[in-house]
Amino acid sequence: MSGPSSPEQQRANRILSEPLRRSLKRSHPCSLSEYLNNTNRLSHRHSSSSMGVRGLLHPTAAQHRPTHPRQTKPRRAHSSNIDLWDSPSGLHLAHAAELLMRAGALTLTPTPRDQAGVEGEEMEGGSGAEGDGTGCVADFLPLLGCSWFPLNPGLFALMAGGGGFLTSGGGSMGIAGVGEGVEVLRGESSSTGGGGGAGRRKRKRCGECVPCRRTGNCEECSACRNRKTGHQICKYRKCEQLKKKAATGFEMVFPSGAAFPWLQ
DNA sequence: GTAAACGTCAAT
DNA sequence: ATTGACGTTTAC
């Protein structure tokens, strides 16, 4: 395998090869390599034509883990047992990577040198997982360590999860929250340490808006009247920030305002 | 353990 | 869109 050539690529490789935190592992029970191997096997077993995006988003029954008997009301998804298809964001890194690749966002255009290296390894490994010419994931794993692994901002945005977003600083696009993104993912994946979580942390009152500064309940609004059953703060004390809808986990901000500007 | 209150769903 | 109810999280 040919090593990274630039400091940037070295850093990227280091980030990608670093072990996940335990909590992250918990929320990503299928490692990238496992996933890719499985995907390879699946796509070969199913003869071929690589599984489409549709297939990824709607896995076969065999790919689903068995459904658990519900212990609580069906209206809520249980906060534990998040698996490959149940991530808070609905999409795991590996899936995101493959989806991006299939969409052409991850440009897998190896240099002849790298390509030779990859092929050589595959021959040695005897995996028999040759690319099918459609940009399949077959060769993805070796890419992680090779010099042409695409350092695509979108991938990092996806990795950043909940709070991760891309910002533009002085015209150049930077990556914000790569480090913090891990924290965000951790927080989202499990807030109880029980392996899961509904995927949301409670937000806190800003403490600065007018309602937050209010002291004392009105005792007249519905929230006050139904305090016992409603579990809600007085309407007039409800933080303005909390009134707004929480941001989604995949919000990405680009200067152009486009979701995937590199696809344009 | 308990109280407060956020998040979400369902009913209206 | 608003409201009520309830599960859940968080702070104490």
Side-chain angles (χ1 to χ4, degrees):
Chain A
M1 173 146 7
S2 56
S5 54
S6 74
E8 254 189 15
Q9 286 160 344
Q10 284 179 350
R11 192 165 60 249
N13 286 340
R14 196 168 60 248
I15 291 171
L16 289 165
S17 61
E18 273 180 359
L20 293 169
R21 297 185 187 197
R22 255 187 317 176
S23 56
L24 274 177
K25 285 179 180 174
R26 204 164 39 228
S27 66
H28 296 77
C30 181
S31 72
L32 182 58
S33 57
E34 285 171 347
Y35 164 73
L36 292 174
N37 287 335
N38 289 339
T39 312
N40 284 344
R41 278 198 297 273
L42 275 173
S43 66
H44 279 274
R45 198 183 309 142
H46 291 105
S47 79
S48 70
S49 51
S50 53
M51 191 165 50
V53 171
R54 188 183 185 84
L56 286 170
L57 295 176
H58 302 283
T60 64
Q63 289 171 278
H64 276 293
R65 42 165 61 194
T67 53
H68 302 274
R70 289 199 181 275
Q71 296 177 341
T72 57
K73 284 184 169 181
R75 56 183 286 213
R76 290 186 191 284
H78 201 273
S79 56
S80 61
N81 298 323
I82 285 187
D83 69 6
L84 189 62
W85 303 103
D86 290 335
S87 78
S89 56
L91 197 62
H92 275 264
L93 170 60
H95 281 87
E98 181 169 0
L99 287 172
L100 285 170
M101 278 192 296
R102 290 179 187 280
L106 293 184
T107 315
L108 302 184
T109 51
T111 64
R113 181 176 53 88
D114 287 324
Q115 200 162 20
V118 169
E119 284 172 356
E121 279 198 11
E122 285 198 347
M123 295 290 279
E124 283 180 12
S127 67
E130 61 268 355
D132 57 7
T134 63
C136 177
V137 295
D139 295 334
F140 186 83
L141 187 54
L143 306 188
L144 297 181
C146 78
S147 63
W148 46 274
F149 176 72
L151 201 54
N152 196 310
L155 184 54
F156 280 93
L158 291 168
M159 291 169 72
F165 57 91
L166 301 175
T167 62
S168 74
S172 66
M173 187 182 291
I175 299 176
V178 168
E180 293 88 346
V182 175
E183 287 297 328
V184 170
L185 261 182
R186 181 184 61 80
E188 285 221 347
S189 63
S190 169
S191 47
T192 60
R200 271 168 208 84
R201 271 183 176 268
K202 275 189 174 182
R203 295 175 297 164
K204 288 184 179 178
R205 309 167 71 196
C206 70
E208 295 173 358
C209 63
V210 173
C212 281
R213 288 180 183 175
R214 246 184 113 106
T215 58
N217 300 321
C218 70
E219 305 296 348
E220 292 178 359
C221 68
S222 58
C224 287
R225 287 199 305 261
N226 303 317
R227 174 135 305 125
K228 286 291 179 217
T229 57
H231 303 167
Q232 290 293 321
I233 193 172
C234 171
K235 271 169 69 172
Y236 301 103
R237 293 180 63 204
K238 181 78 173 182
C239 174
E240 295 290 351
Q241 299 298 319
L242 296 180
K243 285 178 184 173
K244 297 173 188 169
K245 192 82 176 173
T248 64
F250 272 113
E251 183 170 2
M252 286 182 263
V253 179
F254 296 102
S256 66
F260 296 97
W262 58 87
L263 284 178
Q264 293 173 343

